[in-house]
Amino acid sequence: MELHLDSESTIPAYVQIRNQLREQIMRGNLPVSARLPPERELARSLGVSRTTVVSAYDELKAEGLIKGHVGRGTTVVGGATWTAAQPIAWPAHFSNLGRRLIRHAQPSELLTLNRLSAQPDVISLALGLPDPTLLPLERLQRAWEAVVGRVGANVVGACSVQGTPAVREVIAARMRERGAAVGPEGVIVVNGSQHGLDILLRLLAEPGDTVLVEAPTYFGALQSFLAQGVRLVGVPVDEEGMDVQRVEFLLARYRPRFIYTVPTYQNPTGATMSLERRERLLALAQRYQVPIVEDDPFGDLHFDEPPPPPIKALDRHGHVLYLSTFSKNLSPGLRVGWLAAPDPLIERVALLNRVTELHPSTIGQHLVVEFARQGWLEEQIELARSVYRERRQAMDAALRRQRLSEMRWMVPGGGMFLWLHLPRQVDAQDLLVETGQQGVVFLPGSLMYPASGPRNVCRLNFSMPRQEAIEQGIAVIGAGLRRLLRRPAETADEPVVANPIV
Amino acid sequence: MELHLDSESTIPAYVQIRNQLREQIMRGNLPVSARLPPERELARSLGVSRTTVVSAYDELKAEGLIKGHVGRGTTVVGGATWTAAQPIAWPAHFSNLGRRLIRHAQPSELLTLNRLSAQPDVISLALGLPDPTLLPLERLQRAWEAVVGRVGANVVGACSVQGTPAVREVIAARMRERGAAVGPEGVIVVNGSQHGLDILLRLLAEPGDTVLVEAPTYFGALQSFLAQGVRLVGVPVDEEGMDVQRVEFLLARYRPRFIYTVPTYQNPTGATMSLERRERLLALAQRYQVPIVEDDPFGDLHFDEPPPPPIKALDRHGHVLYLSTFSKNLSPGLRVGWLAAPDPLIERVALLNRVTELHPSTIGQHLVVEFARQGWLEEQIELARSVYRERRQAMDAALRRQRLSEMRWMVPGGGMFLWLHLPRQVDAQDLLVETGQQGVVFLPGSLMYPASGPRNVCRLNFSMPRQEAIEQGIAVIGAGLRRLLRRPAETADEPVVANPIV
């Protein structure tokens, strides 16, 4: 029988002794009839008082695990009362949301991708984040010094549930520059725009309600919506974004709780909704009194001319709930996203955030403000534009060099993604397995459709990989594709039809 | 007619012109029949090309707002199609959660408190946060430097949805010190333990389900639970914490989804559940297969002997879902809380967090790790213990000096709160209004009961105010109480009964 006392522990010695004896009895190391050492002897060997051991034995006696016999010392009598305890059968304890998570949040494509991404030196075209090497460490150091100098320990202190006034000023000013009449009181900070999506869904929809989304759309939104049990109706996307012509019919038929759109450098297609469509969509939202959730993480990252103004800039009656973030133009670990919305929404979001998270992370907000004050935010965005512009060009050129006439893509005007159509008979998931073996991964596009979508599309990220990695990655994709095309197709009789360019 | 073009704007000039004209037509500044300037003239005065003005006019014509007449120029014909657009009637658009928020998350006591707290130089005994002046700024600076030196731009980069491995190591090691057999894989980081509560509620309960809580209990948990539409059943609290004797009956009768408890230096009573009760509660949880949510933000902050081990340390079959945070022993703006739970829970929480927030705030995690590595975390906790111990003593002494025999309280062994019973005929809300006028605020205890609770209790915080502020605050409370007691009581016939000491 071995016992170890931790004299540093906050657990009283008698409890440590009791717990360890109990454990050994339960495990069968101390079987029924085993004799425990006399109290005085155990106390001496452990360097504790006899009272300590007596207390431990007394409790084990009260639990029915050991018994003292006059003249014969103390023996184990059984652990029956304890073996009755069973682990909880968790699946039966989860809510509907808890159960839906397993069904919707772990598609096989993602598991394959995770497995392949875990290789060393993998070239990933699968993510959608800024290149961290663009952020100068020296500015991160100086920004922190300046913030601690200005706000002291408040840099890690509590903040208002709406976010700090300073960061809301920065956000509102940037939105006004893009034409949206938004003041700091119309902005609420959230932990990234993904959090904003969750909040809006909780506040506006019940399970079973319908939401209109683009098809394809942002994968993370799809997963969030499906996990909450919302019914999704998809609107096709072409070069000018969501096909707004179809929206009126869908609004009338499904009466959705809101329309979710990423109008600018859409994730995943890179398409940008034309100004005309923005206005028509807004007019429809007004006519049918349906809110538009405009998710705009990429609007800053334009490579050629600036994009049309956000739908929020055209909104005069508060139909647009605008989400954006500093995750794509600065850095994702800041967790500073925001919602700009009419007062009744801001009020509810503040209440929900207070009861669910108290307040957003303070530190990131202070860093964003410092970057904005120093002019570093705009410099950072300008740098990202020029670097990602080059990488977009490199990806386009590398794809052209493949001379695979059945591959089609549109060169996006900004953002982080290029949407590639493979020959129709190719499943992007098969291609991923093929290229993954060569150390190149991307996101199969079938993940991004609300219902079943085409299997021959993929989302390629050009913001994170360097130019050489992009070139190598596209070469591997081209070679993999050629190998797949040479294989006898399982659907050999199906006609090969060129896909529309998206 | 005045038009202002912003040449820096990303909105095309013709859209700016069109929007401003549309606005003026809608507002009636340009009434029906008003004549617009000829295109060439307006173009010249604005310094744009004629085509720009033509485009703007064309769109307004298409909208039916203006009309061109050969030889007579362009006139306003009406805004009928646009006045049809109305703001959304938001209340009808909110989900059940959105509606419940207004009902439950804004009690009048809180609004009164907010109003009174907004005064300058107010002495607040109302909050429950660490004193920020205890945190050495020089260490915040050095910690940041060290972290940026070690992880570079990753300090603001994305992290795993479970949190960084390093911070989960720190957390697991600290839990093991308190006797809980937890490894880093059994820990998931959340944005403060309030976020953890929200997650557990979403994963384990549907609206209408029952949860067992202490009465009184943590106000933020109550609000979160009520907003989600959960039915709450309260278990009274005495000097040894939750009255566990009553729990079995309630488990059998209500079949709650879980038991929520703050067993150590409870918020708001300061009471600590005895080891015996912890074990009995766990045994009941095992027998009825009901999870215990153990919320333990204050366990580190013991002033006399250490508290009994967390219930999690006694848990051998995974019935305890343990929440804690660095918000109370370090700083709340870090937003680093955690859940330690069995694997099936950790897996669902990770999935839910991925779809709702992507990942927790990275920065705070890195700072916590640095503080732990340098030994500063333990020093900070030691400092907090000694400072708050003195303040607790000061509050106790100040209350004694009031010599108001009808006031009763228990001196807590740690944490941040002292729970004060006023004479039975006094409503703490009335006392708050009285002392608020003298610049002293606290939290009326009636807020903290799941159903209606006593009106004569208040929660006094001693971690944030300095000793002088505590003494002054208690003097003001004593004086206010005396004034209230001299007033003719509205319930004068009711016998004055001494309250049990909690």
Side-chain angles (χ1 to χ4, degrees):
Chain A
M1 190 188 87
E2 271 189 82
L3 297 179
H4 298 283
L5 285 197
D6 178 359
S7 58
E8 304 279 290
S9 170
T10 59
I11 305 187
Y14 84 94
V15 178
Q16 295 188 47
I17 296 169
R18 184 205 56 192
N19 286 355
Q20 291 179 41
L21 286 175
R22 190 198 276 152
E23 200 71 33
Q24 299 197 24
I25 293 169
M26 296 309 305
R27 288 207 185 125
N29 300 0
L30 285 173
V32 172
S33 302
R35 180 164 296 201
L36 297 190
E39 289 149 357
R40 198 175 305 271
E41 190 181 299
L42 182 58
R44 196 168 40 237
S45 75
L46 292 172
V48 298
S49 75
R50 183 167 170 267
T51 332
T52 301
V53 176
V54 169
S55 301
Y57 279 18
D58 278 353
E59 298 214 351
L60 292 169
K61 284 172 191 164
E63 289 173 14
L65 292 176
I66 62 174
K67 199 161 182 182
H69 313 265
V70 179
R72 286 194 299 137
T74 309
T75 56
V76 174
V77 290
T81 58
W82 283 91
T83 42
Q86 296 288 329
I88 288 187
W90 283 107
H93 284 257
F94 287 116
S95 65
N96 295 328
L97 169 65
R99 278 192 284 269
R100 278 189 305 255
L101 278 169
I102 292 288
R103 207 156 63 235
H104 292 297
Q106 301 209 96
S108 64
E109 289 94 332
L110 210 62
L111 298 176
T112 306
L113 178 67
N114 282 348
R115 182 172 51 77
L116 294 169
S117 301
Q119 303 173 88
D121 301 320
V122 81
I123 292 180
S124 178
L125 311 177
L127 297 175
L129 296 174
D131 182 343
T133 66
L134 303 186
L135 204 58
L137 297 189
E138 178 253 345
R139 288 188 171 178
L140 276 179
Q141 295 280 20
R142 279 168 57 199
W144 181 262
E145 271 168 43
V147 168
V148 175
R150 193 168 58 241
V151 307
N154 282 336
V155 67
V156 291
C159 77
S160 145
V161 67
Q162 289 98 327
T164 70
V167 84
R168 288 184 288 125
E169 281 286 359
V170 167
I171 289 166
R174 301 191 84 247
M175 289 194 66
R176 285 195 299 273
E177 275 173 33
R178 293 189 62 201
V182 170
E185 73 293 341
V187 168
I188 185 161
V189 175
V190 294
N191 290 317
S193 44
Q194 187 81 21
H195 182 213
L197 272 183
D198 181 50
I199 290 168
L200 290 179
L201 197 67
R202 291 176 86 175
L203 288 180
L204 297 175
E206 299 292 334
D209 282 346
T210 299
V211 169
L212 231 59
V213 299
E214 287 151 347
T217 187
Y218 167 48
F219 172 61
L222 273 189
Q223 286 209 312
S224 177
F225 295 169
L226 291 173
Q228 308 262 9
V230 162
R231 176 184 181 188
L232 296 178
V233 173
V235 187
V237 172
D238 65 21
E239 302 90 323
E240 292 190 21
M242 181 188 271
D243 183 356
V244 174
Q245 271 199 306
R246 306 218 194 171
V247 169
E248 180 154 19
F249 166 75
L250 298 173
L251 290 179
R253 172 154 179 187
Y254 293 104
R255 296 273 155 192
R257 302 298 295 177
F258 59 85
I259 302 164
Y260 172 70
T261 175
V262 186
T264 308
Y265 314 130
Q266 200 231 10
N267 184 352
T269 64
T272 291
M273 196 187 290
S274 64
L275 181 59
E276 194 207 336
R277 286 201 187 171
R278 287 170 197 239
E279 297 193 317
R280 286 175 58 195
L281 186 64
L282 181 59
L284 286 171
Q286 291 173 339
R287 191 172 320 147
Y288 286 85
Q289 294 293 60
V290 175
I292 295 173
V293 174
E294 179 180 25
D295 191 1
D296 184 26
F298 306 110
D300 284 332
L301 300 176
H302 49 82
F303 307 147
D304 309 314
E305 74 243 20
I311 307 175
K312 185 74 192 162
L314 314 169
D315 176 31
R316 297 176 310 145
H317 297 283
H319 290 75
V320 179
L321 315 178
Y322 178 91
L323 288 170
S324 190
T325 177
F326 291 100
S327 295
K328 306 298 183 182
N329 59 13
L330 214 47
S331 199
L334 297 164
R335 303 318 288 137
V336 183
W338 72 89
L339 169 72
D343 292 347
L345 254 290
I346 297 287
E347 182 193 15
R348 303 279 167 140
V349 174
L351 287 172
L352 180 59
N353 283 5
R354 202 184 70 214
V355 304
T356 58
E357 307 213 351
L358 294 182
H359 64 82
S361 166
T362 318
I363 309 173
Q365 299 178 61
H366 285 299
L367 289 173
V368 165
V369 169
E370 194 57 32
F371 264 69
R373 287 190 182 173
Q374 300 283 354
W376 298 340
L377 175 58
E378 294 310 319
E379 285 179 35
Q380 206 58 43
I381 291 170
E382 203 46 69
L383 176 65
R385 282 179 194 145
S386 73
V387 171
Y388 302 161
R389 181 191 295 120
E390 277 172 29
R391 291 179 183 174
R392 174 201 61 175
Q393 293 307 104
M395 186 171 275
D396 179 47
L399 284 166
R400 284 172 196 276
R401 278 198 297 276
Q402 290 301 317
R403 300 189 182 285
L404 273 158
S405 58
E406 307 105 316
M407 283 203 314
R408 300 196 185 276
W409 65 94
M410 181 187 67
V411 181
M416 297 186 161
F417 307 113
L418 187 147
W419 183 242
L420 180 66
H421 281 256
L422 306 171
R424 185 166 169 190
Q425 71 273 36
V426 175
D427 187 326
Q429 171 84 347
D430 294 339
L431 181 61
L432 172 63
V433 172
E434 189 74 24
T435 64
Q437 287 159 358
Q438 316 293 317
V440 174
V441 297
F442 57 84
L443 219 50
S446 52
L447 283 169
M448 295 141 189
Y449 288 85
S452 70
R455 306 286 309 171
N456 63 324
V457 279
C458 20
R459 192 192 77 174
L460 306 182
N461 167 257
F462 52 78
S463 63
M464 288 195 87
R466 288 164 179 275
Q467 185 163 335
E468 313 80 68
I470 288 174
E471 284 162 1
Q472 202 182 327
I474 297 298
V476 167
I477 287 173
L481 195 51
R482 286 195 174 79
R483 280 196 301 280
L484 282 186
L485 289 172
R486 277 198 300 271
R487 277 188 208 160
E490 285 170 31
T491 55
D493 293 335
E494 210 172 328
V496 180
V497 177
N499 290 291
I501 297 169
V502 171
Chain B
M1 190 188 88
E2 272 188 82
L3 298 179
H4 298 283
L5 285 196
D6 177 0
S7 57
E8 305 278 289
S9 170
T10 60
I11 304 186
Y14 85 95
V15 178
Q16 295 189 46
I17 296 169
R18 185 205 54 192
N19 285 356
Q20 291 179 42
L21 286 175
R22 189 198 277 152
E23 199 72 31
Q24 298 197 25
I25 294 169
M26 296 310 304
R27 287 206 187 127
N29 300 1
L30 284 174
V32 172
S33 303
R35 180 164 297 201
L36 297 190
E39 289 148 358
R40 200 176 302 270
E41 190 181 299
L42 182 58
R44 197 167 42 235
S45 75
L46 292 172
V48 297
S49 75
R50 184 167 168 268
T51 331
T52 301
V53 176
V54 169
S55 301
Y57 279 17
D58 279 352
E59 297 214 351
L60 292 169
K61 284 172 192 165
E63 290 174 13
L65 292 176
I66 62 174
K67 198 163 183 182
H69 312 266
V70 176
R72 286 194 298 134
T74 308
T75 57
V76 174
V77 291
T81 57
W82 283 91
T83 42
Q86 296 287 331
I88 288 186
W90 283 107
H93 284 256
F94 287 116
S95 64
N96 295 328
L97 170 64
R99 278 192 284 271
R100 280 189 303 255
L101 278 169
I102 292 288
R103 207 157 63 235
H104 292 297
Q106 301 210 96
S108 63
E109 288 95 331
L110 210 61
L111 298 177
T112 305
L113 178 68
N114 283 347
R115 183 172 50 77
L116 294 169
S117 301
Q119 304 173 88
D121 301 320
V122 80
I123 292 179
S124 178
L125 311 177
L127 297 175
L129 296 174
D131 182 344
T133 67
L134 303 186
L135 204 58
L137 297 190
E138 178 254 344
R139 287 187 172 178
L140 276 179
Q141 296 279 22
R142 279 168 57 199
W144 181 261
E145 271 168 43
V147 169
V148 175
R150 192 168 60 239
V151 306
N154 282 336
V155 66
V156 291
C159 78
S160 146
V161 65
Q162 289 98 326
T164 70
V167 85
R168 288 185 287 124
E169 280 286 358
V170 166
I171 289 166
R174 300 191 84 246
M175 290 195 67
R176 285 195 298 272
E177 275 172 33
R178 294 190 61 202
V182 170
E185 72 294 342
V187 168
I188 185 162
V189 175
V190 294
N191 291 316
S193 44
Q194 186 81 21
H195 182 213
L197 272 184
D198 181 50
I199 290 168
L200 289 179
L201 198 67
R202 290 176 86 175
L203 288 181
L204 297 176
E206 300 292 333
D209 283 346
T210 299
V211 168
L212 231 59
V213 299
E214 287 151 348
T217 187
Y218 167 47
F219 172 61
L222 273 190
Q223 286 209 310
S224 178
F225 296 169
L226 291 173
Q228 308 261 9
V230 162
R231 176 183 182 189
L232 297 177
V233 173
V235 188
V237 172
D238 64 21
E239 302 89 323
E240 292 191 21
M242 181 189 271
D243 183 355
V244 175
Q245 271 199 307
R246 305 218 196 171
V247 169
E248 180 154 20
F249 167 75
L250 298 174
L251 289 179
R253 173 154 179 188
Y254 294 105
R255 296 274 156 191
R257 302 297 297 178
F258 60 84
I259 303 164
Y260 172 71
T261 174
V262 186
T264 308
Y265 314 131
Q266 200 231 11
N267 184 352
T269 63
T272 290
M273 195 186 290
S274 64
L275 181 59
E276 193 208 338
R277 286 200 188 172
R278 288 171 196 236
E279 297 193 316
R280 285 175 59 195
L281 186 64
L282 181 59
L284 286 172
Q286 290 172 340
R287 190 173 320 146
Y288 286 85
Q289 293 293 60
V290 175
I292 295 173
V293 174
E294 179 179 26
D295 190 3
D296 184 26
F298 306 110
D300 284 331
L301 300 176
H302 49 82
F303 307 147
D304 309 313
E305 73 243 22
I311 307 174
K312 184 74 192 163
L314 314 169
D315 176 32
R316 296 175 312 144
H317 297 283
H319 290 74
V320 179
L321 315 178
Y322 178 91
L323 288 171
S324 189
T325 177
F326 292 101
S327 294
K328 306 298 184 183
N329 59 13
L330 213 47
S331 199
L334 297 164
R335 304 319 287 138
V336 184
W338 73 87
L339 169 71
D343 291 347
L345 255 290
I346 296 287
E347 182 194 15
R348 303 280 167 140
V349 174
L351 287 173
L352 180 60
N353 283 4
R354 202 184 71 213
V355 304
T356 58
E357 308 213 351
L358 295 182
H359 64 81
S361 167
T362 318
I363 310 173
Q365 297 178 61
H366 286 299
L367 289 172
V368 165
V369 169
E370 193 58 32
F371 265 68
R373 286 189 184 174
Q374 299 285 353
W376 297 340
L377 175 59
E378 294 309 320
E379 284 179 36
Q380 206 58 43
I381 291 169
E382 203 46 69
L383 177 65
R385 282 178 193 146
S386 72
V387 171
Y388 302 162
R389 181 191 295 120
E390 277 173 28
R391 291 179 183 174
R392 174 200 63 173
Q393 293 307 105
M395 186 171 275
D396 178 48
L399 283 166
R400 285 173 196 276
R401 279 197 298 275
Q402 290 300 317
R403 300 189 183 284
L404 272 158
S405 58
E406 306 105 317
M407 283 204 312
R408 300 196 185 276
W409 65 95
M410 181 186 68
V411 181
M416 297 186 161
F417 306 112
L418 186 147
W419 184 243
L420 180 66
H421 281 256
L422 305 171
R424 183 164 170 191
Q425 71 273 37
V426 175
D427 186 328
Q429 171 84 346
D430 295 340
L431 180 62
L432 173 63
V433 172
E434 189 74 23
T435 64
Q437 286 158 0
Q438 317 292 317
V440 175
V441 297
F442 57 84
L443 218 51
S446 52
L447 283 169
M448 294 142 189
Y449 287 85
S452 69
R455 307 287 310 169
N456 64 324
V457 279
C458 20
R459 192 192 76 174
L460 306 182
N461 168 258
F462 52 77
S463 63
M464 288 195 87
R466 288 165 178 274
Q467 185 162 337
E468 313 79 69
I470 288 173
E471 284 161 0
Q472 201 183 328
I474 298 298
V476 167
I477 287 173
L481 194 52
R482 285 195 175 80
R483 280 196 301 280
L484 283 185
L485 289 172
R486 278 197 300 270
R487 278 190 207 159
E490 285 169 31
T491 54
D493 293 335
E494 210 173 328
V496 179
V497 177
N499 290 291
I501 297 170
V502 170

